[in-house]
Amino acid sequence: MLKNMKIKKGLMLGFSIVIVLSIILVAFSMVSMMNMRSEYELLMEEDVEANQDILYCRVRALIPGRNIRDALLIPDSDANDGLIEEAEQYLVELEEGLVSLEEHFPYQLDKEILYAYQEKVRAWAANAPKIIEMYRNYRSTGDEAYLKEAEDFIYETDTPMQTEMGTAAVELDNYLVEGMKEERQRIEDSIATTMIIIIAVSVAAVVVSIIFALVLIKSITAPTEEVRKALVGFSEGKLDIPVSFESKNELGEMCQALRNSQNILGDVIGDLNARRGQIQGMEAMAGTQRVNAFVPLAQMFGYATDLRSKTQGRGQYVMEPSHYEPVPKNIADQIIAGRTKG
């Protein structure tokens, strides 16, 4: 039905808009979910790496402290040189671990607690070489005053600093756990919000599509119904059925053509009535409308010209004798009066 109609462009445009909106919605959903997935994976990766770095730093701080204490407990042991070298190596690796921890620390979290932990660790690490130097002075001189000084330093300075460092490590670890929990919840909330938005937009798109379809259907069915009623009226000889739809598409052209036909046919029938014709009916024949009527022969002079004028040169008529009828009294009086004067 709509094969050659301009209105199919409206249908194609409407369905194209729906398809494009659907594609955009699907693309937006996929991109949003992929971004959230990437963010979640990155968060988990940072969480694991940061926890590993914290453990790494705690081990690199624990072993040097233990080795130094072991060397001071048995100051003349031949194994102490290896313990001290290992402690110094671990102090170097401790600084590397602090740098790695800062790089891997989740960017979403506040780094104030991280900086506090780094400050305490570096402060302790700066004092460790002092104890090692005291021990080496003892080994080179044999003066036990160096051992006493190292032991006092450990008791008064090193041990409290290690305690503070351990407390800071626990606080940082707890903060990381809670922070990751909050971030995971935030991402889950974002996913839920995105899903709600997607569902809402999907529902809105469906509603808009339905409304558009209903409007479009109405724009087709309403004028089609007018045309149907008018055509049925044509077949019954009713020419006063209104056809009000106007548009530049084919339906509008059909309605306009039908109005023109109503006007032309109305003029033709009106002219036949004026000629004292008796309309017997109308019928559609091969794309034309045929009007059957009885008209007095005396009224048919000049009818061909009048018919062409009223139908824009397209009307034709066929006339044949049918029967005789009495002349109406008013016409008969006129005829008698004319003959009497004659």
Side-chain angles (χ1 to χ4, degrees):
M1 177 180 175
L2 299 177
K3 181 177 179 181
N4 297 316
M5 297 180 66
K6 296 176 185 177
I7 198 167
K8 74 177 181 180
K9 296 180 180 178
L11 286 170
M12 295 176 63
L13 177 62
F15 289 127
S16 298
I17 292 174
V18 173
I19 292 173
V20 170
L21 289 177
S22 300
I23 293 174
I24 292 174
L25 180 61
V26 171
F28 171 77
S29 303
M30 293 180 62
V31 171
S32 298
M33 298 305 294
M34 291 178 63
N35 288 339
M36 291 179 185
R37 178 182 177 183
S38 299
E39 185 178 0
Y40 194 84
E41 291 177 349
L42 177 61
L43 183 67
M44 294 300 98
E45 182 180 347
E46 290 176 339
D47 185 20
V48 172
E49 291 177 344
N51 277 291
Q52 289 177 343
D53 288 337
I54 292 175
L55 178 61
Y56 183 90
C57 291
R58 296 185 72 173
V59 171
R60 262 57 187 174
L62 176 64
I63 292 178
R66 184 196 63 189
N67 286 1
I68 292 172
R69 282 176 169 77
D70 289 347
L72 292 176
L73 286 175
I74 310 176
D76 297 322
S77 174
D78 293 336
N80 288 347
D81 289 339
L83 293 176
I84 294 300
E85 289 178 2
E86 184 181 37
E88 290 177 327
Q89 178 60 35
Y90 271 49
L91 288 173
V92 174
E93 294 177 0
L94 176 60
E95 177 59 31
E96 295 174 353
L98 291 175
V99 173
S100 177
L101 174 58
E102 185 171 354
E103 292 176 352
H104 295 149
F105 197 79
Y107 71 91
Q108 300 94 336
L109 303 183
D110 186 7
K111 292 187 176 182
E112 183 177 353
I113 295 180
L114 169 65
Y115 294 148
Y117 172 71
Q118 288 179 320
E119 182 180 355
K120 293 183 183 300
V121 173
R122 285 176 174 141
W124 174 84
N127 283 327
K130 297 178 182 179
I131 304 175
I132 294 175
E133 184 180 1
M134 295 174 191
Y135 170 76
R136 283 177 173 162
N137 287 337
Y138 163 75
R139 291 295 299 269
S140 63
T141 63
D143 187 351
E144 293 186 357
Y146 288 112
L147 288 179
K148 176 62 174 172
E149 182 181 4
E151 291 174 355
D152 292 342
F153 189 86
I154 288 176
Y155 179 75
E156 297 173 359
T157 305
D158 184 74
T159 299
M161 292 184 72
Q162 284 207 27
T163 301
E164 292 179 358
M165 183 172 59
T167 302
V170 172
E171 291 178 353
L172 179 61
D173 191 54
N174 291 337
Y175 174 71
L176 186 61
V177 171
E178 291 298 322
M180 290 296 97
K181 181 178 179 181
E182 293 177 358
E183 282 301 308
R184 284 193 292 270
Q185 185 62 46
R186 181 187 64 81
I187 293 176
E188 291 174 1
D189 292 343
S190 297
I191 293 175
T193 301
T194 302
M195 291 304 298
I196 291 174
I197 293 175
I198 291 173
I199 292 173
V201 173
S202 300
V203 172
V206 171
V207 171
V208 170
S209 300
I210 293 174
I211 294 175
F212 175 80
L214 292 176
V215 171
L216 191 59
I217 291 172
K218 185 177 180 181
S219 68
I220 297 174
T221 56
T224 302
E225 180 63 15
E226 285 190 351
V227 172
R228 186 193 69 81
K229 290 181 179 179
L231 290 175
V232 171
F234 251 60
S235 65
E236 298 174 350
K238 300 175 183 178
L239 304 179
D240 57 348
I241 299 176
V243 180
S244 60
F245 180 75
E246 295 184 4
S247 177
K248 294 182 179 179
N249 58 32
E250 277 81 354
L251 282 176
E253 293 175 359
M254 289 171 59
C255 291
Q256 183 59 47
L258 185 54
R259 283 191 293 270
N260 292 339
S261 297
Q262 286 178 322
N263 293 334
I264 291 174
L265 199 55
D267 290 343
V268 171
I269 292 176
D271 183 54
L272 290 176
N273 287 330
R275 295 173 184 271
R276 295 192 289 115
Q278 299 174 7
I279 307 300
Q280 302 301 303
M282 293 187 298
E283 55 184 317
M285 297 182 60
T288 63
Q289 196 73 17
R290 176 175 175 176
V291 179
N292 297 318
F294 295 138
V295 184
L297 179 61
Q299 302 294 326
M300 295 301 293
F301 295 105
Y303 182 68
T305 302
D306 290 343
L307 180 62
R308 285 195 296 271
S309 174
K310 296 181 184 302
T311 61
Q312 301 176 356
R314 291 173 293 178
Q316 298 178 359
Y317 79 101
V318 176
M319 182 174 64
E320 60 184 18
S322 174
H323 62 277
Y324 292 97
E325 283 188 9
V327 176
K329 185 177 185 304
N330 62 326
I331 302 299
D333 291 342
Q334 292 177 5
I335 295 174
I336 294 172
R339 292 291 178 90
T340 302
K341 291 179 182 180

